[in-house]
Amino acid sequence: MLKKIKVEDLVLGMYFCGFEAAWLDHPFWKNKFLLKNPSELKQARDSGISHCWIDIERGLDVRAEPALAPEPEAAPEPAPEATPEIVLDPAVREAQLLCETAKKATKAMFSEARMGRAMDMERCASLVEEIADSVVQSPNTLLSVARLKLADEYTYLHSMAVCALMVALGRTLGMDETACREAGLGGFLHDIGKAFIPHDILNKPGRLTDDEFAVVRKHPELGYKYLSQDPGVPEYAREVCLHHHEKTDGNGYPDGQRGGSIALYSRMAAICDVYDAITSDRPYKQGWDPAEAISTMASWSGHFDRPLFLAFVKTLGIYPVGSIVKLASGRSGFVVSQNTRDLTRPVIKVFRFDDQFQASETDILDLSDNPQPDSIIGRGGEEWARLSHLDAMQILGTRAA
């Protein structure tokens, strides 16, 4: 929702949507973005422009001025001492806000598609830019928060997660900024065809029948047909939508393409789509541990482009962020970042479970330190099953207020 405010009221965290002035007078080269940097805020305030627009659904609103209160007859009772609260690390909180923005935007996109209306490509491109910027600044954080989506959020946050994974993979492959954003847009739009699949099939809490699966398999073609009606949608994005379920051995769908005949972005999307799907909770199954997912995907012969898959493993690590691992010391750990020089020795937050199966944080352990402080001897297990979304978010990054 757009709101006109005074430029002097701009603060960091607002989603800027343009000045009320001629474009040539603007100090910014882009017209819509989340205000994150003090330098951008200073540029806006020094522009000499009196008013601008913000989107209060995608960023902060102007703080309401407190109403003038009558003089109190007596001194107010002292407020009770506040109980210390646990607040998320700023990077995690920012990633959460981006996930919420992406979820709303994707819901709107799917709704427009169901009604046969053209999507807002400007908003899609702007959101992809935000996701790409987040991946560049803090790839582990956004990918970790996206992984913690609930089962009923899957359809909408899956698009954002695949977008982020595509950008991260593109960076590992050495793609330039433009190509990474193209890959991200393809990832964001890849599943738009599911807007045309009946909800009772898409969200069925059990195995699909052969007839139901045949309906689901139509989503790439339905999405391609929808996107092709809009000349503003790039061909590479339509291609990803149509062919993200192709396999290198020719056993994919809808066209049974093989190997290099599958476009690069589509081969990338095939990997990113499957990884996010199998690590996410769904109505009919619990998500896999990320390290287990990587190991299992590596065993599927003829499914993925091998060099791209190895680059994907390098992007996430052998033990991707979010993996639960068992250590030789008998403790468990939650992978929080990678060691690029040795993917077998990530940085871990070590924890134990109490009698109520609640995870309690202890300390940070960098397995690449010398002398080696500990080592990984196994993955997941019952620790993965016990770890709730709240526990995972707290272990991922919290601090005392």
Side-chain angles (χ1 to χ4, degrees):
M1 180 185 297
L2 293 182
K3 182 175 183 177
K4 180 179 173 181
I5 67 168
K6 294 179 180 178
V7 171
E8 64 190 49
D9 292 334
L10 278 173
V11 297
L12 297 181
M14 288 182 171
Y15 194 87
F16 178 82
C17 290
F19 290 102
E20 189 178 52
W23 183 81
L24 290 176
D25 296 330
H26 291 199
F28 304 130
W29 66 269
K30 53 185 178 180
N31 211 34
K32 294 184 179 181
F33 60 97
L34 185 67
L35 270 173
K36 300 177 183 178
N37 301 322
S39 61
E40 294 172 336
L41 190 59
K42 185 176 186 303
Q43 275 184 286
R45 290 176 175 172
D46 292 347
S47 66
I49 302 172
S50 61
H51 288 80
C52 64
W53 296 86
I54 60 172
D55 188 335
I56 60 175
E57 291 183 348
R58 305 178 71 180
L60 298 178
D61 194 356
V62 178
R63 289 184 179 179
E65 292 293 332
L68 293 176
E71 289 292 328
E73 296 181 2
E77 290 291 326
E81 187 175 343
T83 302
E85 63 173 329
I86 299 298
V87 296
L88 289 174
D89 181 271
V92 176
R93 180 56 182 156
E94 187 172 316
Q96 278 189 315
L97 291 173
L98 181 52
C99 283
E100 285 300 312
T101 296
K103 183 168 64 174
K104 291 178 182 178
T106 311
K107 281 184 176 181
M109 180 175 73
F110 272 55
S111 177
E112 294 295 305
R114 291 188 189 101
M115 292 186 287
R117 298 175 182 169
M119 70 175 63
D120 184 345
M121 277 302 299
E122 183 180 349
R123 187 175 189 189
C124 287
S126 176
L127 182 57
V128 169
E129 183 176 335
E130 286 185 57
I131 293 169
D133 288 345
S134 180
V135 170
V136 170
Q137 293 174 22
S138 181
N140 290 333
T141 304
L142 180 62
L143 294 175
S144 299
V145 172
R147 187 188 59 77
L148 298 174
K149 53 186 169 292
L150 302 174
D152 60 356
E153 298 175 322
Y154 172 78
T155 299
Y156 303 112
L157 283 182
H158 176 62
S159 297
M160 189 217 72
V162 173
C163 172
L165 288 167
M166 292 278 279
V167 172
L169 177 55
R171 284 173 54 79
T172 300
L173 293 170
M175 292 180 174
D176 62 24
E177 186 175 317
T178 298
C180 285
R181 278 164 169 70
E182 288 179 354
L185 182 61
F188 186 65
L189 298 178
H190 82 288
D191 256 354
I192 188 63
K194 286 186 177 177
F196 308 104
I197 304 300
H199 281 286
D200 57 340
I201 295 179
L202 205 57
N203 299 312
K204 182 179 178 180
R207 181 178 292 275
L208 297 177
T209 66
D210 290 344
D211 288 344
E212 289 169 336
F213 187 58
V215 172
V216 172
R217 281 170 60 109
K218 293 179 181 177
H219 79 270
E221 294 166 291
L222 293 171
Y224 181 80
K225 181 180 179 181
Y226 168 70
L227 295 179
S228 297
Q229 296 171 0
D230 186 345
V233 179
E235 175 58 31
Y236 63 79
R238 298 199 294 267
E239 172 71 27
V240 171
C241 179
L242 183 61
H243 290 135
H244 66 277
H245 282 295
E246 301 288 357
K247 300 178 182 178
T248 55
D249 62 6
N251 289 318
Y253 64 91
D255 295 327
Q257 292 186 333
R258 286 180 171 271
S261 66
I262 307 170
L264 173 59
Y265 293 159
S266 297
R267 280 179 278 147
M268 292 169 62
I271 298 169
C272 298
D273 173 63
V274 169
Y275 174 78
D276 186 66
I278 63 179
T279 56
S280 300
D281 287 346
R282 308 286 289 279
Y284 52 87
K285 74 168 185 67
Q286 182 177 333
W288 295 2
D289 172 83
E292 179 188 4
I294 289 289
S295 176
T296 302
M297 289 171 69
S299 70
W300 293 345
S301 177
H303 200 126
F304 306 114
D305 180 302
R306 190 67 180 175
L308 289 183
F309 180 74
L310 293 177
F312 185 73
V313 174
K314 184 178 180 181
T315 301
L316 297 183
I318 297 170
Y319 302 102
V321 171
S323 300
I324 305 299
V325 294
K326 296 179 180 179
L327 303 176
S329 62
R331 297 177 295 176
S332 296
F334 185 94
V335 177
V336 295
S337 66
Q338 300 298 320
N339 171 19
T340 55
R341 291 171 296 178
D342 187 344
L343 297 178
T344 67
R345 298 182 181 183
V347 178
I348 297 194
K349 267 192 176 179
V350 179
F351 61 89
R352 299 182 186 277
F353 285 100
D354 60 24
D355 294 339
Q356 284 73 45
F357 300 127
Q358 296 296 310
S360 59
E361 179 186 337
T362 54
D363 58 359
I364 296 289
L365 185 64
D366 186 344
L367 296 182
S368 67
D369 283 349
N370 289 313
Q372 187 174 345
D374 211 334
S375 60
I376 295 173
I377 61 171
R379 298 192 309 264
E382 55 186 335
E383 285 88 353
W384 175 255
R386 290 175 182 174
L387 195 63
S388 70
H389 283 79
L390 177 59
D391 290 331
M393 183 62 72
Q394 289 176 335
I395 291 173
L396 172 63
T398 57
R399 59 182 173 84

